[in-house]
């Protein structure tokens, strides 16, 4: 069992998990410090716009800076050994404390947000969900729009890093399958964490810049181009406009967004591998193939249906279908149109798509493609076993055998997902939300997509009309969804806190 | 591998599964023969009512009789060895052919039913679903009402028998867990199939009679008492009245129905054990405990909510809540009121309850309690494993260890369930059904509950307004749900038909 590096006499009767709270808080304070410094950027934007809201960000930055320095100084102590337990505690605490810090400017803002709405907006940003409790975005000061985009951008790189370095160690998130698949039986050890991180950041920054330049070249304002590039690559989905991408009315912009949302939805480790080792293995990856082929098929199916039922030219229908399908399936959550009024089939399609998500090791949320592949393989094997009960067949993922513990973790994810989903639907219903809002609100928060369906929270609506309870609840659900559920849920079990 | 008892030269190059079609059809013809004879009963009822529709049943009976005798004579051949493959083929074919036979009177009826509606009604009967494509039940000849009730009653005992004798052999349905649990480590072999069947039938008949007598004593007409007793014990849910149990306006009748629906939702093998061995182990069974406690808690929660939001006296609220909760959770599908207008919380509760179902080895459909218990135990174990990766803990169900293959079959059921659910939602949406109808129609067919939610198919509505495609589709889905999905699905895989 795990041991602290220096148990120390005063820790004698304190459970290990409680002891580890302090170092986890200590590290979180460093992240809060970084966030406080980044708040200077929106302050500068408003200052250059000569908007008085620059002071909101200046004040937020200063106060968070002071508190986190205080935390760093007072909580300093030797780091414990890095056990799974510490990993769960640290990951959850990092996201939780960051979301509180990120909410400060919204809370101090003149936008009339309740604490619940401010926290919801911040959490929706950091989890790259993209559900917004703000209406009238087009009248909102640029500082807040930039802050929302920055939160998603930071949250995006954050979840890739956690998915790459931490989740495999915690045995969740499925990157084990993925890595063995992509490394393709080569026995070379993966390069060190530092060089990996450097490559990862370079790719993320480069892709965002490329996206911003293309957006600007296609006619977006520079500010819109930067903000939307940040929320595209992170598959976040915050837009600067109430009409989201419907504001731009340019199919070339929609197709550019489709491309970069897909870039954000693929496993970043494959880009890193390409950069470091010069091997382009993207199309050899089963998860990527399945994802791309599914997206194309679903877009075409929806486009054909749109063409035939709504009398739209096929290419226009395909643009609309592809953009909104990719937006939902990558868990971005932009909308180019109110697809909820497209008719029953679209309604059903977008409901199902909201569950799916992108690839493991990407910025997307949702159940993710590799879990579906594994479930489908298990189903295939089950058929064979029912006919030939004594046959022994391993589960396969492409050329790779799936280990039992990876399979188990996929199963448990599904169990936890649907359990949490049911509880959230009931809680939202109890709070008085109508059926479709409760059903799709719970869903879209858990999968980090953003918009739901129905009158209130559909693609043409927002989360502002929801009550305080609903916003607090959905904030927690977004966090659970983002961190693969178990990471957070385990903190509420007795086994975690006992020795 | 399985071998035919007498392979015979002419079978040389025919795949085994195709060879087995003939004996499976042969057995199915016997069941069709039995059904044709039972059709005489509704004919006699109409004859005594001096209704011309007696001839519908007479004609149906005669034609089915002739065809099945023809089938029996022409298909006769030595039985093959009883392999799992033959088991799947036989079970599916039995239900499928029975549903076609059962549909004949509806199809020949003057009730104006399309072939799709007639087949839907028959399948809804035999699968004990209880969704109806008939409106104006109160004006329908008694023969058809009786036939509907008889189909559910036959379907009920049929699924218990299959669940007890066949599914364990096919390694689906979870009775393995159950039996070892209930037999409580005693090493005595279970008594022979014949005596078991006799006891099972005695209990089923006795319980139905008891229910009918109590219904009649509480004021139902004799005909209503008999029909509703048959559809209560089989947790079927067909009623003779458009308003279902709302017609009776007597809370004592509602409570009697609650009792007998629960009787139908518990594992019949425990009653059999009591009858044969005199041991009353009902309350020691984990599945039963969990089921009963959950039903009580949910009823009370809903009653408290009804009392507080709709200003109803608590006891009245409890009666309504308990009746409709038990009706949905046992997958019966009666309604005493249009609970869809009770408000958002009730809507959410009934949506979630529709998934749950009763115990294994009962007449209920749905996911069933034991699968939830196993999923929940797996979740508990997963938490422990995340903290202590090297700890080895078996899954437990009460005092019994759950074997890996039972756990696997539960996992596969969930995968198949949600996959089929998603496909059905999409298909119903494509056919133009609104979101709530598509969502809950697919659900209620797959879980064999009966009513869905929404304007059309909610507890106050029926399935008559649906199109032909929807009715055919939902008929198949009811069959899949009834036979634990995999039994039917496997017939559509190549592995089943290859040698």
């Amino acid at each position: 069992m795990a041991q602290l590096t220096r148990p120390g006499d005063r820790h004698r009767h304190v459970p290990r998990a409680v002891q580890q709270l302090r170092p986890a808080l200590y590290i979180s304070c460093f992240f809060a410090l970084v966030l406080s410094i980044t708040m200077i950027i929106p302050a500068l934007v408003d200052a250059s716009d000569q908007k008085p809201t620059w002071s909101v960000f200046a004040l937020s930055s200063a106060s968070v800076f002071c508190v986190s320095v205080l935390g760093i100084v007072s909580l300093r102590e030797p780091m414990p050994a890095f056990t799974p337990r510490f990993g769960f505690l640290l990951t959850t605490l990092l996201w939780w404390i960051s979301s509180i810090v990120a909410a400060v400017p919204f809370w101090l803002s003149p936008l009339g947000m309740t604490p619940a709405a401010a926290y919801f907006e911040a959490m929706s940003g950091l989890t790259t969900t993209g559900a917004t409790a703000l209406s009238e975005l087009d009248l909102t000061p640029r500082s807040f729009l930039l802050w929302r985009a920055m939160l998603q951008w930071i949250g995006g790189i954050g979840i890739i890093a956690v998915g790459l370095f931490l989740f495999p160690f915690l045995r969740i998130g499925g990157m084990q399958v993925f890595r063995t698949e992509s490394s393709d039986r080569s026995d070379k050890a993966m390069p060190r964490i530092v060089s990996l991180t450097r490559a990862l950041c370079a790719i993320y920054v480069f892709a965002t810049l490329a996206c911003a330049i293309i957006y600007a070249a296609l006619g977006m304002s520079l500010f819109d181009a930067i903000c939307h590039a940040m929320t595209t690559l992170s598959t976040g989905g915050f837009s600067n406009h109430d009409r989201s991408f419907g504001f731009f009315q340019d199919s070339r912009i929609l197709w550019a967004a489709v491309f970069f949302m897909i870039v954000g939805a693929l496993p970043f480790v494959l880009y890193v591998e390409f950069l470091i080792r010069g091997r382009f293995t993207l199309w050899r990856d089963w998860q990527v193939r399945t994802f791309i082929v599914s997206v194309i098929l679903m877009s075409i199916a929806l486009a054909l249906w749109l063409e035939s039922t709504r009398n739209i030219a096929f290419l226009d229908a395909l643009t609309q279908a592809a953009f909104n399908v990719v937006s939902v399936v990558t868990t971005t959550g932009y909308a180019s149109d109110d697809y909820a009024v497209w008719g029953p089939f679209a309604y059903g399609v977008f409901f199902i798509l909201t569950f799916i998500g992108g690839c493991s090791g990407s910025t997307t949320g949702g159940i993710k493609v590799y879990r579906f592949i594994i479930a489908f393989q298990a189903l295939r094997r089950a058929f064979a076993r029912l006919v030939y009960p004594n046959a022994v067949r391993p589960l396969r993922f492409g050329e790779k055998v799936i280990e039992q513990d990876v399979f188990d973790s996929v199963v448990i994810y599904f169990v936890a997902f649907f359990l949490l989903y049911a509880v959230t639907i009931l809680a939202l219903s109890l709070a008085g939300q109508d059926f479709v809002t409760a059903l799709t609100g719970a869903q879209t928060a858990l999968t980090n997509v953003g918009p739901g369906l129905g009158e209130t929270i559909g693609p043409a609506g927002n989360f502002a009309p929801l009550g305080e309870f609903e916003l607090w609840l959905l904030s927690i659900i977004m966090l659970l969804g983002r961190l693969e559920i178990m990471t957070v849920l385990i903190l509420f079990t007795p086994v975690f806190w006992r020795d």
Side-chain angles (χ1 to χ4, degrees), chain A:
Chain A
M1 289 293 85
Q3 280 293 331
L4 283 186
T5 42
R6 293 182 202 174
D9 281 350
R10 67 199 164 88
H11 290 320
R12 269 288 145 73
H13 299 289
V14 183
R16 224 168 271 137
V18 178
Q19 293 171 33
Q20 294 176 339
L21 270 174
R22 194 183 159 114
L25 268 172
Y26 175 70
I27 299 177
S28 303
C29 283
F30 269 104
F31 276 79
L33 191 72
V34 173
L35 279 179
S36 78
I37 294 168
T38 58
M39 285 177 194
I40 297 170
I41 305 173
L44 291 176
V45 169
D46 265 3
S48 81
D49 285 356
Q50 303 195 311
K51 287 261 170 94
T53 39
W54 72 268
S55 62
V56 169
F57 281 90
L59 181 61
S60 307
S61 175
S63 47
V64 172
F65 186 86
C66 294
V67 172
S68 41
V69 167
L70 213 70
I72 291 168
V73 172
S74 63
L75 294 168
R76 196 166 172 205
E77 79 171 271
M79 278 293 115
F82 203 85
T83 57
R85 191 182 252 149
F86 184 62
F88 292 117
L89 202 58
L90 178 62
T91 314
T92 307
L93 222 56
L94 263 183
W95 248 267
W96 185 57
I97 290 190
S98 301
S99 66
I100 293 172
V101 167
V104 172
F106 294 116
W107 183 50
L108 296 179
S109 78
L111 302 172
M113 298 177 97
T114 60
Y119 188 67
F120 178 89
E121 196 76 11
M123 187 63 98
S124 174
L126 279 174
T127 58
T128 78
T129 302
T132 184
L134 282 172
S135 45
E136 314 222 303
L137 290 170
D138 297 274
L139 305 176
T140 303
R142 297 208 298 172
S143 54
F144 290 100
L145 300 177
L146 181 62
W147 184 236
R148 292 160 85 236
M150 285 170 65
L151 289 179
Q152 295 206 319
W153 197 70
I154 295 167
I157 185 83
I159 200 65
I160 299 175
V162 165
L164 193 59
F165 301 128
L166 199 54
F167 283 169
F169 174 67
L170 303 181
R171 308 199 311 160
I172 58 175
M175 281 296 288
Q176 298 112 303
V177 203
F178 176 75
R179 186 181 294 176
T180 38
E181 165 78 9
S182 76
S183 60
D184 211 10
R185 280 201 224 97
S186 134
D187 288 331
K188 284 178 201 160
M190 288 287 270
R192 282 165 308 117
I193 287 189
V194 175
S195 77
L196 265 179
T197 310
R198 201 182 295 145
L200 190 64
C201 291
I203 289 161
Y204 196 65
V205 170
F206 170 78
T208 310
L209 278 177
C211 182
I213 290 168
I214 289 172
Y215 278 163
L218 293 173
M220 275 196 197
S221 74
L222 188 64
F223 183 73
D224 269 359
I226 293 172
C227 287
H228 287 93
M230 287 201 277
T231 60
T232 302
L233 254 298
S234 60
T235 65
F238 273 152
S239 170
N240 293 347
H241 306 286
D242 287 325
R243 295 184 53 212
S244 192
F245 268 58
F247 176 85
F248 299 112
Q249 301 285 1
D250 184 334
S251 65
R252 293 170 309 161
I253 289 183
L254 298 187
W255 283 105
V258 165
F259 176 78
F260 283 103
M261 286 190 281
I262 289 176
V263 167
L266 301 184
F268 272 68
V269 72
L270 295 183
Y271 307 144
V272 170
E273 214 167 45
F274 177 64
L275 190 71
I276 293 183
R277 300 208 264 167
R279 297 198 314 148
F280 193 70
T281 54
L282 208 56
W283 190 246
R284 273 198 282 160
D285 186 83
W286 260 64
Q287 194 178 204
V288 172
R289 283 192 204 187
T290 312
F291 176 71
I292 301 277
V293 171
S294 315
V295 164
I296 291 173
L297 290 181
M298 289 181 291
S299 301
I300 292 175
L302 193 62
L304 286 173
W305 183 80
L306 272 180
E307 185 195 20
S308 68
T309 58
R310 291 171 66 87
N311 212 9
I312 305 173
F314 180 72
L315 272 183
D316 291 342
L318 187 64
T319 305
Q320 291 296 328
F323 180 83
N324 292 290
V325 162
V326 168
S327 169
V328 170
V329 87
T330 61
T331 73
T332 307
Y334 293 138
S336 67
D337 192 11
D338 184 2
Y339 50 74
V341 300
W342 286 359
F345 182 56
Y347 224 90
V349 165
F350 284 107
F351 175 69
I352 301 295
L353 287 182
T354 300
F355 287 107
I356 293 177
C359 301
S360 58
S362 72
T363 60
T364 63
I367 292 173
K368 296 193 185 74
V369 175
Y370 81 96
R371 291 201 178 95
F372 287 104
I373 295 178
I374 291 178
F376 186 73
Q377 294 291 344
L379 191 61
R380 273 186 53 163
R381 182 177 64 171
F383 284 128
R385 275 196 183 165
L386 285 177
V387 182
Y388 304 111
N390 301 319
V392 177
R393 295 174 183 225
L395 276 181
R396 291 187 172 280
F397 188 95
E399 296 161 343
K400 190 72 203 161
V401 171
I402 297 165
E403 305 288 338
Q404 183 67 35
D405 72 318
V406 173
F407 179 68
D408 284 348
S409 88
V410 169
V411 169
I412 290 302
Y413 178 86
F414 277 108
V415 170
F417 182 93
F418 285 106
L419 191 72
L420 197 60
Y421 186 28
V423 170
T424 312
I425 292 171
L426 288 179
L428 291 176
S429 302
L430 189 56
Q433 295 300 326
D434 69 273
F435 180 58
V436 175
T437 302
L439 189 77
T440 62
Q443 181 198 28
T444 199
L446 195 50
T447 57
N448 302 125
V449 168
L453 293 166
E455 304 270 301
T456 315
I457 58 169
N462 61 60
F463 287 69
L466 266 57
E468 300 234 341
F469 167 78
E470 290 91 314
L471 292 176
W472 286 119
L473 174 69
L474 290 177
S475 302
I476 298 167
I477 298 299
M478 288 190 278
L479 180 64
L480 279 151
R482 174 80 298 186
L483 300 180
E484 308 285 341
I485 302 176
M486 296 299 278
T487 317
V488 181
L489 223 48
I490 198 169
L491 303 190
F492 296 92
T493 60
V495 70
F496 184 83
W497 297 99
R498 271 198 308 258
D499 275 342

